[in-house]
Each structure stands twice: as structure tokens, then as C-alpha cells.
Amino acid sequence: MMKVGITGGIGSGKSTVCRLFARLGVAVYDSDAGAKRLMTEDAELRRRITDRFGAEAYADGTLNRTYLAGRVFSEAQALADLNAIVHPAVRADFAAWAEQQEGDYVILESALLFDAGFDACVDRTVAVLAPEALRIERTCRRDGCGADQVVRRIAAQLDDDALSARADYVVVNIFEEDLEPAVVKLDRIFSHEAARH
């Protein structure tokens, strides 16, 4: 089965693009949701996270996101260590999930597609891009946060030039009405390529 990775920075609209693919009947794996689920449910992952970050990483059997975020965003090595624990588990989970799906191809949605090396798990990549001012406006409206917070998060991600240079396909998301025709076109391309895969 062919696998397609979809990525994009915060507020770019990658989740909207993935929802449009899902509406066309394409199975979508959300790597962020997968990571959160695995960090809660996978006993081996929990043990490794606890070994590295201490018992405070879990509170009442639930992942202590506030504590973990405080650790990983204040210390680069902590973030690298957490990623080294979680990313391989997400890759394995995605591979197992993909085996269970039907259809011509499946989608891996990941903000960290290139950063985490998830692009090695897929056959094609799509970057969803949008102007920074629009991304800031969308994220502030969606998350109820300040523009300065969004700007910091954007600065920590690959920029649009890097994404478009590495992706096989690019979707520019300025006007929502342009998204559906772009997704339908990509669906046709991927279905055709999957038939030859």
C-alpha cells in the first residue's frame, strides 16, 4: 500500500487538508494523536519515559503533559531524548496501522514529518503552506493565544522554503475554497500512482 505524508507548520491548514482526504475515504493517521495515545497506553514507552524523566512524568496513571512540556521546552537534550523514545514507537504504530487499512493509499499526518524522519516511512510527501500573517491569525483564533506565542512556535518549525524544497507536492492554503479542488487533484494523482506501486 502506498503511503503519503502530509506536513505543514502551525496554522497552515494541514489538518483541514487531511480532513478533506478523509472525506474522500482515505484513511488518515494523526501522528500527534498516535504519540499521545502510545505515551499513555504502551507500557514499555511509559517505563522508558519514567526512567528518563522521573515518576512525575505521570500523574494518577495519566501523562503529566504540563510537567513534561516544562522539561522538554527548557532543555534541548530532554526534547531530543523524548523524541528518541517516542518517534520509533510512532513509526512502528503507523506501519502496523497502515497494514490494516484498505484503499489505494493511506496518509500520515505529521507536523514533524521531516524533523522526525517520518518521511522515510512514506512514498510521497505533501507540504501545506500559508503566509505567516494568516497562520498567526488562524492559530490565535483557534487556540485563543497571543501572536507572540505563535511566532515563537513558528520559529521553532521548518520554514515554508525548507518544506517546499523537501516535499514532493505543495498545497498553498490561502483561500479555503481552493483547498478541495487541490485535494481532489492530489487524490487522483495518488490513486493513479498507487495502482502502479
Side-chain angles (χ1 to χ4, degrees):
M1 166 155 326
M2 195 170 99
K3 301 175 182 76
V4 176
I6 296 186
T7 192
I10 187 168
S12 63
K14 78 177 175 317
S15 296
T16 304
V17 167
C18 288
R19 275 195 298 276
L20 290 170
F21 274 106
R23 214 182 288 161
L24 295 174
V26 181
V28 177
Y29 180 96
D30 179 338
S31 65
D32 192 39
K36 287 174 182 162
R37 175 178 48 78
L38 290 166
M39 289 183 349
T40 299
E41 296 174 5
D42 185 302
E44 173 62 13
L45 212 52
R46 287 173 67 113
R47 184 191 62 73
R48 293 184 63 202
I49 290 168
T50 303
D51 285 352
R52 170 59 179 87
F53 296 98
E56 303 94 332
Y58 290 89
D60 301 322
T62 308
L63 187 69
N64 186 345
R65 293 187 206 293
T66 308
Y67 168 78
L68 213 49
R71 290 287 303 273
V72 301
F73 292 118
S74 64
E75 185 190 333
Q77 188 57 53
L79 180 59
D81 291 348
L82 182 65
N83 289 342
I85 294 168
V86 177
H87 290 167
V90 172
R91 278 195 287 275
D93 192 59
F94 168 67
W97 171 87
E99 292 294 317
Q100 305 300 313
Q101 305 309 309
E102 297 186 1
D104 296 328
Y105 66 96
V106 295
I107 286 172
L108 168 63
E109 176 185 352
S110 175
L112 301 172
L113 188 74
F114 297 114
D115 318 58
F118 291 156
D119 56 316
C121 312
V122 297
D123 305 291
R124 297 287 177 271
T125 56
V126 178
V128 182
L129 312 179
E132 188 170 309
L134 187 55
R135 291 170 60 193
I136 293 167
E137 179 194 318
R138 285 174 180 158
T139 307
C140 289
R141 193 171 55 233
R142 182 191 71 199
D143 297 350
C145 59
D148 55 331
Q149 286 178 276
V150 183
V151 169
R152 279 199 302 276
R153 288 164 74 181
I154 287 173
Q157 298 178 329
L158 286 177
D159 65 25
D160 282 1
D161 289 342
L163 288 176
S164 59
R166 294 180 71 175
D168 298 312
Y169 299 92
V170 168
V171 172
V172 177
N173 177 20
I174 298 173
F175 302 107
E176 203 162 317
E177 60 269 22
D178 295 338
L179 273 189
E180 196 161 353
V183 168
V184 167
K185 183 178 178 182
L186 283 174
D187 175 61
R188 288 191 189 127
I189 291 168
F190 297 146
S191 296
H192 175 71
E193 288 186 358
R196 295 165 40 225
H197 198 261

